[in-house]
Amino acid sequence: RRSVLAPGGCMFSSSHLHVPGGVEVEVHPVVLFSVVDHYSRREEGQGRVIGTLLGTVTGNKVEIFSCFPVPHTESEEQVAVNTDFHATMLSLYQRVQPSHQVVGWYSTGDGVSDSSLLFHDFYGQDVERPVHLLVDLGLGTRRMSCKAYVSKQLSLGGATLGTSFEEVRAGVVMAEADRVGMEMLFKSATASGFSGAASLSDADSMEVTIKKLLKTLQGVGEYVDEVASGAKPRDAELIGLLQTAMAAAPALPPNAFGKVFSSQVQDMLVAVYLANLTRAQLALAEKLQAVAI
């Protein structure tokens, strides 16, 4: 079912000043990657894409952990949102992360438009103060950027004149897993010379990681040899850290370690396979949904 949003109210230009003591938005990198992926798979002739933002709200801080696309149509006369698709995807996401709730919506483009107010009102039905994340992809002419907005009612006396968008402070935050993933992406891009080549395979990524580990162990071994020979002074703190690391390593025979390592690798490959299968199924379901619409 598609919900048709009828135009109404007034649309004012957004403010570029941060609201003192207002909402602060923190965006995880996976959200931006999902938006870029959604835009790259948009229908031919579609100007922009929209989707739902999921996260948590703590006081004035809104943290966005994930998102999912929402099919829509947009014209000069009206805009429409596939509400059934939105409800189904939200139900599936909350089965995995029940603590995450809808905190707003995203769209691509270089600025807010008249129809943005209609989408914002749609999400405002279930969210007290929805956040609008505007992702400007640049499209090769400028740097990619993202801005966050909240709505504010404009009134004169007791009469409501309309609604405006106010920009709020927004930033990208990275957990340790995000940082590792970003480093791998940068290394892959550097290795391909930013030519658009495919990223490293799982086997190649593991090989790079193992080589880095071996290089680190070699450096540690050289340092220990130099300290033992008296070429370098002893650092009690560093030696304590090395002893702690060595004590944490399991004392396994080579054969047993090989079996454990092979088992871990097989588990990882199964997880990668299931992730790729899930991604393919979601892409297929989205295509079928688009055809049905």
Side-chain angles (χ1 to χ4, degrees), residues 200-238:
L200 295 175
S201 64
D202 298 321
D204 292 336
S205 299
M206 181 176 295
E207 182 180 0
V208 171
T209 303
I210 293 176
K211 286 182 177 180
K212 183 178 179 180
L213 177 60
L214 291 175
K215 186 177 180 180
T216 302
L217 293 176
Q218 182 179 1
V220 171
E222 292 176 354
Y223 171 78
V224 172
D225 291 339
E226 291 176 352
V227 171
S229 63
K232 281 189 175 182
R234 297 183 180 182
D235 187 335
E237 183 179 358
L238 183 56

CSV table of all heavy atoms in Angstrom, one decimal, residues 200-238:
chain,number,residue,atom,x,y,z
A,200,LEU,N,39.4,-6.2,-2.0
A,200,LEU,CA,40.1,-7.4,-1.8
A,200,LEU,C,39.1,-8.5,-1.4
A,200,LEU,O,38.1,-8.3,-0.7
A,200,LEU,CB,41.1,-7.2,-0.6
A,200,LEU,CG,42.2,-6.3,-0.9
A,200,LEU,CD1,43.1,-6.1,0.3
A,200,LEU,CD2,43.1,-6.8,-2.0
A,201,SER,N,39.4,-9.8,-1.8
A,201,SER,CA,38.6,-10.9,-1.4
A,201,SER,C,38.8,-11.2,0.0
A,201,SER,O,39.8,-10.7,0.6
A,201,SER,CB,38.9,-12.1,-2.3
A,201,SER,OG,40.2,-12.5,-2.1
A,202,ASP,N,38.0,-12.1,0.6
A,202,ASP,CA,38.2,-12.5,2.0
A,202,ASP,C,39.6,-13.2,2.2
A,202,ASP,O,40.2,-12.9,3.2
A,202,ASP,CB,37.1,-13.5,2.4
A,202,ASP,CG,35.7,-12.8,2.3
A,202,ASP,OD1,35.6,-11.6,2.6
A,202,ASP,OD2,34.8,-13.5,1.9
A,203,ALA,N,40.0,-14.0,1.2
A,203,ALA,CA,41.3,-14.7,1.4
A,203,ALA,C,42.4,-13.7,1.3
A,203,ALA,O,43.4,-13.8,2.1
A,203,ALA,CB,41.5,-15.7,0.3
A,204,ASP,N,42.3,-12.7,0.4
A,204,ASP,CA,43.4,-11.7,0.3
A,204,ASP,C,43.4,-10.8,1.6
A,204,ASP,O,44.5,-10.4,2.0
A,204,ASP,CB,43.1,-10.8,-0.9
A,204,ASP,CG,43.3,-11.6,-2.2
A,204,ASP,OD1,44.0,-12.6,-2.2
A,204,ASP,OD2,42.7,-11.2,-3.3
A,205,SER,N,42.2,-10.5,2.1
A,205,SER,CA,42.2,-9.7,3.3
A,205,SER,C,42.9,-10.4,4.5
A,205,SER,O,43.6,-9.9,5.3
A,205,SER,CB,40.7,-9.4,3.7
A,205,SER,OG,40.1,-8.6,2.7
A,206,MET,N,42.6,-11.8,4.6
A,206,MET,CA,43.2,-12.5,5.6
A,206,MET,C,44.7,-12.6,5.4
A,206,MET,O,45.5,-12.5,6.4
A,206,MET,CB,42.6,-14.0,5.7
A,206,MET,CG,43.2,-14.8,6.8
A,206,MET,SD,42.4,-16.4,6.8
A,206,MET,CE,40.8,-16.0,7.3
A,207,GLU,N,45.2,-12.7,4.2
A,207,GLU,CA,46.6,-12.7,3.9
A,207,GLU,C,47.3,-11.4,4.3
A,207,GLU,O,48.4,-11.4,4.9
A,207,GLU,CB,46.8,-13.0,2.4
A,207,GLU,CG,48.3,-13.1,2.0
A,207,GLU,CD,48.5,-13.3,0.6
A,207,GLU,OE1,47.5,-13.4,-0.2
A,207,GLU,OE2,49.7,-13.4,0.1
A,208,VAL,N,46.6,-10.3,4.0
A,208,VAL,CA,47.2,-9.0,4.4
A,208,VAL,C,47.3,-8.9,5.9
A,208,VAL,O,48.3,-8.4,6.5
A,208,VAL,CB,46.3,-7.9,3.9
A,208,VAL,CG1,46.7,-6.5,4.4
A,208,VAL,CG2,46.4,-7.8,2.3
A,209,THR,N,46.2,-9.4,6.6
A,209,THR,CA,46.2,-9.3,8.1
A,209,THR,C,47.3,-10.2,8.7
A,209,THR,O,48.0,-9.8,9.6
A,209,THR,CB,44.8,-9.8,8.6
A,209,THR,OG1,43.8,-9.0,8.1
A,209,THR,CG2,44.8,-9.7,10.1
A,210,ILE,N,47.5,-11.4,8.2
A,210,ILE,CA,48.5,-12.3,8.7
A,210,ILE,C,49.9,-11.8,8.4
A,210,ILE,O,50.8,-11.8,9.3
A,210,ILE,CB,48.4,-13.7,8.0
A,210,ILE,CG1,47.1,-14.4,8.5
A,210,ILE,CG2,49.6,-14.6,8.4
A,210,ILE,CD1,46.8,-15.7,7.9
A,211,LYS,N,50.1,-11.2,7.3
A,211,LYS,CA,51.4,-10.5,7.0
A,211,LYS,C,51.7,-9.4,7.9
A,211,LYS,O,52.9,-9.2,8.4
A,211,LYS,CB,51.5,-10.0,5.5
A,211,LYS,CG,51.6,-11.2,4.5
A,211,LYS,CD,51.7,-10.6,3.1
A,211,LYS,CE,51.9,-11.7,2.0
A,211,LYS,NZ,51.9,-11.1,0.7
A,212,LYS,N,50.7,-8.6,8.2
A,212,LYS,CA,50.9,-7.5,9.2
A,212,LYS,C,51.2,-8.0,10.6
A,212,LYS,O,52.1,-7.5,11.3
A,212,LYS,CB,49.6,-6.7,9.2
A,212,LYS,CG,49.7,-5.5,10.1
A,212,LYS,CD,48.4,-4.6,10.1
A,212,LYS,CE,48.5,-3.4,11.0
A,212,LYS,NZ,47.3,-2.6,11.0
A,213,LEU,N,50.5,-9.2,11.0
A,213,LEU,CA,50.8,-9.8,12.3
A,213,LEU,C,52.2,-10.3,12.3
A,213,LEU,O,53.0,-10.1,13.3
A,213,LEU,CB,49.8,-10.9,12.5
A,213,LEU,CG,50.0,-11.7,13.8
A,213,LEU,CD1,49.9,-10.8,15.0
A,213,LEU,CD2,49.0,-12.8,13.9
A,214,LEU,N,52.7,-11.0,11.3
A,214,LEU,CA,54.0,-11.5,11.2
A,214,LEU,C,55.1,-10.4,11.3
A,214,LEU,O,56.1,-10.6,12.0
A,214,LEU,CB,54.2,-12.4,10.0
A,214,LEU,CG,53.4,-13.7,9.9
A,214,LEU,CD1,53.6,-14.3,8.5
A,214,LEU,CD2,53.9,-14.6,11.0
A,215,LYS,N,54.8,-9.3,10.6
A,215,LYS,CA,55.7,-8.2,10.7
A,215,LYS,C,55.8,-7.6,12.1
A,215,LYS,O,56.9,-7.2,12.5
A,215,LYS,CB,55.3,-7.1,9.7
A,215,LYS,CG,56.2,-5.9,9.5
A,215,LYS,CD,55.8,-4.9,8.5
A,215,LYS,CE,56.8,-3.8,8.4
A,215,LYS,NZ,56.3,-2.8,7.4
A,216,THR,N,54.7,-7.5,12.8
A,216,THR,CA,54.7,-7.0,14.1
A,216,THR,C,55.4,-8.0,15.1
A,216,THR,O,56.3,-7.5,15.9
A,216,THR,CB,53.2,-6.9,14.6
A,216,THR,OG1,52.5,-6.0,13.8
A,216,THR,CG2,53.2,-6.3,16.1
A,217,LEU,N,55.2,-9.3,14.9
A,217,LEU,CA,56.0,-10.3,15.7
A,217,LEU,C,57.5,-10.2,15.4
A,217,LEU,O,58.3,-10.4,16.4
A,217,LEU,CB,55.4,-11.7,15.5
A,217,LEU,CG,54.0,-11.9,15.9
A,217,LEU,CD1,53.5,-13.3,15.5
A,217,LEU,CD2,53.9,-11.8,17.5
A,218,GLN,N,57.8,-10.0,14.2
A,218,GLN,CA,59.2,-9.9,13.9
A,218,GLN,C,59.8,-8.7,14.5
A,218,GLN,O,61.0,-8.7,15.1
A,218,GLN,CB,59.4,-9.8,12.3
A,218,GLN,CG,60.8,-9.8,11.9
A,218,GLN,CD,61.0,-9.7,10.4
A,218,GLN,OE1,60.0,-9.6,9.7
A,218,GLN,NE2,62.2,-9.6,9.9
A,219,GLY,N,59.1,-7.6,14.5
A,219,GLY,CA,59.6,-6.4,15.2
A,219,GLY,C,59.8,-6.6,16.7
A,219,GLY,O,60.7,-6.1,17.3
A,220,VAL,N,58.8,-7.3,17.3
A,220,VAL,CA,58.9,-7.6,18.8
A,220,VAL,C,60.1,-8.4,19.0
A,220,VAL,O,60.9,-8.2,20.0
A,220,VAL,CB,57.6,-8.2,19.2
A,220,VAL,CG1,57.8,-8.7,20.7
A,220,VAL,CG2,56.5,-7.3,19.2
A,221,GLY,N,60.3,-9.5,18.2
A,221,GLY,CA,61.5,-10.3,18.4
A,221,GLY,C,62.8,-9.6,18.3
A,221,GLY,O,63.7,-9.8,19.1
A,222,GLU,N,62.9,-8.7,17.3
A,222,GLU,CA,64.1,-7.9,17.2
A,222,GLU,C,64.4,-7.0,18.4
A,222,GLU,O,65.5,-6.9,18.8
A,222,GLU,CB,64.0,-7.1,15.9
A,222,GLU,CG,64.1,-7.9,14.6
A,222,GLU,CD,63.9,-7.1,13.4
A,222,GLU,OE1,63.6,-5.8,13.5
A,222,GLU,OE2,64.0,-7.6,12.2
A,223,TYR,N,63.3,-6.5,18.9
A,223,TYR,CA,63.5,-5.6,20.1
A,223,TYR,C,63.9,-6.4,21.3
A,223,TYR,O,64.8,-6.0,22.0
A,223,TYR,CB,62.1,-4.9,20.4
A,223,TYR,CG,62.1,-4.2,21.7
A,223,TYR,CD1,62.7,-3.0,21.9
A,223,TYR,CD2,61.5,-4.8,22.9
A,223,TYR,CE1,62.7,-2.3,23.1
A,223,TYR,CE2,61.5,-4.1,24.1
A,223,TYR,CZ,62.1,-2.9,24.2
A,223,TYR,OH,62.1,-2.2,25.4
A,224,VAL,N,63.3,-7.6,21.5
A,224,VAL,CA,63.8,-8.4,22.6
A,224,VAL,C,65.2,-8.8,22.5
A,224,VAL,O,66.0,-8.8,23.5
A,224,VAL,CB,62.9,-9.7,22.7
A,224,VAL,CG1,63.4,-10.7,23.7
A,224,VAL,CG2,61.4,-9.3,23.0
A,225,ASP,N,65.7,-9.2,21.2
A,225,ASP,CA,67.1,-9.5,21.0
A,225,ASP,C,68.0,-8.4,21.3
A,225,ASP,O,69.1,-8.6,21.9
A,225,ASP,CB,67.3,-10.0,19.6
A,225,ASP,CG,66.6,-11.3,19.3
A,225,ASP,OD1,66.3,-12.1,20.3
A,225,ASP,OD2,66.3,-11.6,18.1
A,226,GLU,N,67.6,-7.2,20.9
A,226,GLU,CA,68.5,-6.0,21.2
A,226,GLU,C,68.5,-5.7,22.7
A,226,GLU,O,69.6,-5.3,23.2
A,226,GLU,CB,67.9,-4.8,20.4
A,226,GLU,CG,68.1,-4.9,18.9
A,226,GLU,CD,67.5,-3.8,18.2
A,226,GLU,OE1,66.8,-3.0,18.8
A,226,GLU,OE2,67.6,-3.7,16.9
A,227,VAL,N,67.4,-5.9,23.4
A,227,VAL,CA,67.4,-5.6,24.9
A,227,VAL,C,68.3,-6.7,25.5
A,227,VAL,O,69.1,-6.4,26.5
A,227,VAL,CB,66.0,-5.6,25.4
A,227,VAL,CG1,66.0,-5.6,26.9
A,227,VAL,CG2,65.2,-4.4,24.9
A,228,ALA,N,68.2,-7.9,25.1
A,228,ALA,CA,68.9,-9.0,25.7
A,228,ALA,C,70.4,-8.8,25.5
A,228,ALA,O,71.3,-9.2,26.4
A,228,ALA,CB,68.5,-10.4,25.2
A,229,SER,N,70.8,-8.3,24.3
A,229,SER,CA,72.2,-8.1,24.0
A,229,SER,C,72.8,-6.8,24.6
A,229,SER,O,74.0,-6.5,24.5
A,229,SER,CB,72.4,-8.1,22.5
A,229,SER,OG,71.8,-7.0,21.9
A,230,GLY,N,71.9,-6.0,25.2
A,230,GLY,CA,72.3,-4.7,25.8
A,230,GLY,C,72.4,-3.6,24.8
A,230,GLY,O,72.8,-2.5,25.2
A,231,ALA,N,72.0,-3.8,23.6
A,231,ALA,CA,72.0,-2.7,22.6
A,231,ALA,C,71.0,-1.6,22.9
A,231,ALA,O,71.1,-0.5,22.5
A,231,ALA,CB,71.8,-3.3,21.2
A,232,LYS,N,69.9,-2.0,23.6
A,232,LYS,CA,68.8,-1.0,23.9
A,232,LYS,C,68.5,-1.1,25.4
A,232,LYS,O,68.6,-2.2,26.0
A,232,LYS,CB,67.5,-1.3,23.1
A,232,LYS,CG,67.6,-0.8,21.7
A,232,LYS,CD,66.2,-0.9,21.1
A,232,LYS,CE,66.2,-0.3,19.7
A,232,LYS,NZ,64.8,-0.4,19.0
A,233,PRO,N,68.2,0.0,26.0
A,233,PRO,CA,67.9,-0.1,27.5
A,233,PRO,C,66.5,-0.8,27.7
A,233,PRO,O,65.7,-0.8,26.8
A,233,PRO,CB,67.8,1.4,27.9
A,233,PRO,CG,67.4,2.1,26.6
A,233,PRO,CD,68.1,1.3,25.5
A,234,ARG,N,66.4,-1.4,28.9
A,234,ARG,CA,65.1,-2.1,29.2
A,234,ARG,C,64.0,-1.1,29.6
A,234,ARG,O,64.3,-0.1,30.3
A,234,ARG,CB,65.4,-3.0,30.4
A,234,ARG,CG,66.4,-4.1,30.1
A,234,ARG,CD,66.5,-5.1,31.3
A,234,ARG,NE,67.5,-6.1,31.0
A,234,ARG,CZ,67.7,-7.1,31.9
A,234,ARG,NH1,67.1,-7.1,33.1
A,234,ARG,NH2,68.6,-8.0,31.5
A,235,ASP,N,62.8,-1.4,29.1
A,235,ASP,CA,61.7,-0.6,29.4
A,235,ASP,C,60.7,-1.5,30.2
A,235,ASP,O,60.1,-2.4,29.6
A,235,ASP,CB,61.0,-0.1,28.1
A,235,ASP,CG,59.8,0.9,28.4
A,235,ASP,OD1,59.3,0.9,29.5
A,235,ASP,OD2,59.5,1.7,27.5
A,236,ALA,N,60.6,-1.2,31.5
A,236,ALA,CA,59.9,-2.1,32.4
A,236,ALA,C,58.4,-2.2,32.0
A,236,ALA,O,57.8,-3.2,32.0
A,236,ALA,CB,60.0,-1.6,33.8
A,237,GLU,N,57.8,-1.0,31.6
A,237,GLU,CA,56.4,-1.0,31.2
A,237,GLU,C,56.2,-1.8,29.9
A,237,GLU,O,55.2,-2.6,29.9
A,237,GLU,CB,56.0,0.4,31.0
A,237,GLU,CG,54.5,0.6,30.6
A,237,GLU,CD,54.0,2.0,30.5
A,237,GLU,OE1,54.9,2.9,30.6
A,237,GLU,OE2,52.9,2.2,30.1
A,238,LEU,N,57.0,-1.7,28.9
A,238,LEU,CA,56.9,-2.4,27.7
A,238,LEU,C,57.1,-3.9,27.9
A,238,LEU,O,56.4,-4.7,27.3
A,238,LEU,CB,57.9,-1.9,26.6
A,238,LEU,CG,57.8,-2.5,25.3
A,238,LEU,CD1,56.4,-2.4,24.7
A,238,LEU,CD2,58.8,-1.8,24.3
